[in-house]
Amino acid sequence: MSDVMRIQPFATQLARILMEYGRNGSIFDIHKALFYTPAPDAPFAVHDLFGHYLATPVGPSAGPHTQLSQNIISAYLCGGRFMELKTVQVQDELTIPRPCIDMTDEGYNVEWSQELTLEQAAHEYIVAWAILHILPRLLGWDGQAPDRPALPGVIFDMSVGYDFEGITSPRMTRFLDVMADASAQIAEITACLRRQFPRCADVDIPTRIVNSVTLSTMHGCPPDEIERIARYLLDQRGLHTVVKLNPTLLGRDEVRDIVNRQLGFAEIDIPDAAFDHDLQYDRAIDLIAALKRAGAERGLTFGVKLSNTLATRNHTGRLPGDETYMSGRALYPVTMNLYDRLLHAFDGDLHVSYSAGVDALNVATVLSCGALPVTGCTDLLKPGGYTRLTNWLEHIGKAMRDAGDTSLAGFSRERLTNVGRAAAAS
């Protein structure tokens, strides 16, 4: 359990929101002038992702900023609609070294797992889910257009790790069960609404929190283990499944050439072990093809997440330990080149979730390559925080207007060409 994070009961959290919004016109210190107000004609809305309506194609990626309910609510207020929940694992009594994150420029972290117990994490995700279904009523967004898709237009995506034994353990199984059916918890919340917040008592809060999952495996996880876990998530859990891939998949020579020579990050030292122990490209192609077939047989989406962080030697000394995990702008060109290679390998027929060095200036480019969703961590941990998502949406809207496109499908219709250009330009 974290020594710095404190979870709050649903009633406490909602009461605080109501009081602050009534007094100051803000929620969690984000003023309503900075809220993203949903628009029924937004060109970047996605009408069917994993069977759900997604009002915007962006959100926070799984990280320290998607653990607490107020984190997730804040991201929603600023326009995030795809919420990658913090990766959870069965070993949930960890001591996270401090400091654990450095976002001075490109990002580095040594924080690789959740800081809450599984039970606390489930509580926070359910509280956030319920409040996001209530907020459109409180903010007056639910009556703007009777024929609009149902609000809140949000998808919660579970992230789990890190090995088959842990993911299939009894405690993780209970966590997965609750995320699939939180009827008991939602019933308690509904009863609380009737008692304390009657104007919201009739808000419909679905009892299924997630129907998709992103698999996060440790650097060096054997490919057979990755495939075994993914098949379990598809076959036994019935979840749309995305596997997070490591940037080392591009190959040691190309990764080092991009990072050290082309970008000029001479001080970044990527050890040989990072490449030797990770999934290799040819095996990855076979694995993806097999899991795509397995998903299709069950009417489920299988895809890949690009990308995980990059293991590097701790050259700054600002964080504890000998190794850190790099994210942010130095990872963007590596990942875009990997994206280009994988997308062409499957002739464009590959579901890609993207999160590597995304910011307001490149998010539209990534979407034009067909990635869905596009999420961020490093950029959102910099000054401005979640409000940077609003800037992302402004740039996406402008790029789509400039291109004359009224849908993401049209915007990414030349995804193979676009990803090649983006990789070359990055």
Side-chain angles (χ1 to χ4, degrees):
M1 175 179 174
S2 170
D3 58 352
V4 296
M5 293 187 177
R6 295 290 181 266
I7 66 172
Q8 298 294 333
F10 168 80
T12 301
Q13 204 69 296
L14 184 55
R16 184 235 160 114
I17 288 171
L18 290 170
M19 180 180 67
E20 183 185 346
Y21 188 69
R23 289 180 179 177
N24 305 326
S26 63
I27 296 175
F28 300 129
D29 295 321
I30 300 172
H31 193 268
K32 62 184 178 182
L34 298 173
F35 293 176
Y36 167 76
T37 303
D41 57 349
F44 41 67
V46 181
H47 291 271
D48 184 9
L49 179 63
F50 306 146
H52 296 294
Y53 170 70
L54 184 65
T56 77
V58 301
S61 52
H65 59 328
T66 58
Q67 294 189 83
L68 296 173
S69 58
Q70 57 263 38
N71 299 152
I72 300 166
I73 294 164
S74 296
Y76 175 83
L77 292 170
C78 297
R81 293 296 183 271
F82 195 92
M83 307 297 181
E84 291 184 359
L85 307 174
K86 174 65 175 175
T87 306
V88 296
Q89 60 149 336
V90 70
Q91 297 180 42
D92 57 0
E93 293 287 348
L94 302 172
T95 299
I96 305 295
R98 308 290 181 188
C100 59
I101 298 171
D102 175 14
M103 296 296 163
T104 306
D105 185 3
E106 72 278 10
Y108 298 94
N109 78 85
V110 293
E111 185 255 20
W112 53 275
S113 191
Q114 83 263 28
E115 298 178 66
L116 303 175
T117 66
L118 284 169
E119 293 75 20
Q120 289 172 327
H123 171 273
E124 289 299 279
Y125 301 158
I126 293 168
V127 167
W129 175 257
I131 289 177
L132 293 195
H133 284 79
I134 292 167
L135 276 178
R137 170 75 56 86
L138 299 178
L139 299 175
W141 294 344
D142 57 346
Q144 292 181 355
D147 60 343
R148 69 180 303 159
L151 293 176
V154 68
I155 292 176
F156 276 26
D157 181 72
M158 193 166 39
S159 181
V160 300
Y162 288 96
D163 57 26
F164 183 82
E165 182 180 0
I167 289 170
T168 58
S169 65
R171 289 188 64 225
M172 277 293 291
T173 297
R174 286 195 294 272
F175 175 86
L176 293 169
D177 289 343
V178 169
M179 291 294 99
D181 182 4
S183 299
Q185 293 83 356
I186 297 299
E188 292 179 3
I189 287 172
T190 301
C192 174
L193 290 173
R194 286 196 298 266
R195 290 192 309 269
Q196 298 178 240
F197 312 96
R199 63 170 162 152
C200 300
D202 63 336
V203 172
D204 180 37
I205 305 173
T207 57
R208 178 155 196 167
I209 312 301
V210 304
N211 73 340
S212 64
V213 62
T214 297
L215 171 61
S216 182
T217 56
M218 296 294 287
H219 294 268
C221 183
D224 290 349
E225 179 89 348
I226 296 172
E227 184 168 355
R228 186 183 184 196
I229 300 168
R231 287 187 178 277
Y232 166 75
L233 295 170
L234 289 163
D235 297 345
Q236 303 300 315
R237 307 303 309 195
L239 295 164
H240 301 282
T241 300
V242 170
V243 171
K244 186 185 293 185
L245 298 179
N246 293 336
T248 52
L249 199 60
L250 192 61
R252 78 180 70 208
D253 291 340
E254 190 160 356
V255 170
R256 286 172 172 165
D257 181 66
I258 291 171
V259 174
N260 300 133
R261 188 185 69 80
Q262 296 184 42
L263 297 181
F265 286 98
E267 72 281 4
I268 294 178
D269 183 4
I270 311 162
D272 285 338
F275 299 96
D276 296 338
H277 297 160
D278 278 355
L279 179 66
Q280 302 299 303
Y281 184 81
D282 289 344
R283 180 66 179 93
I285 295 298
D286 293 341
L287 185 151
I288 293 168
L291 292 172
K292 273 170 53 66
R293 290 192 296 270
E297 289 170 0
R298 290 155 184 79
L300 297 168
T301 298
F302 174 80
V304 297
K305 171 78 176 291
L306 302 177
S307 68
N308 204 347
T309 51
L310 180 62
T312 63
R313 300 191 196 281
N314 185 2
H315 67 277
T316 69
R318 290 190 289 264
L319 299 179
D322 297 326
E323 185 177 63
T324 58
Y325 298 100
M326 187 191 76
S327 62
R329 71 185 184 102
L331 198 56
Y332 175 74
V334 173
T335 305
M336 288 304 296
N337 277 273
L338 177 58
Y339 188 1
D340 179 37
R341 184 176 295 181
L342 288 173
L343 196 62
H344 279 85
F346 288 93
D347 197 26
D349 182 22
L350 180 64
H351 176 84
V352 174
S353 167
Y354 189 95
S355 177
V358 179
D359 59 27
L361 299 181
N362 62 30
V363 63
T365 296
V366 178
L367 283 168
S368 76
C369 299
L372 188 69
V374 178
T375 60
C377 181
T378 303
D379 192 54
L380 304 186
L381 294 178
K382 291 177 181 270
Y386 303 104
T387 63
R388 298 169 79 94
L389 284 170
T390 311
N391 200 18
W392 288 21
L393 293 172
E394 291 170 352
H395 279 76
I396 295 167
K398 182 180 185 304
M400 293 184 70
R401 289 192 300 272
D402 290 348
D405 290 313
T406 58
S407 71
L408 282 177
F411 191 55
S412 62
R413 60 185 172 274
E414 301 291 339
R415 66 182 306 203
L416 281 169
T417 300
N418 291 344
V419 75
R421 289 174 179 167
S426 63

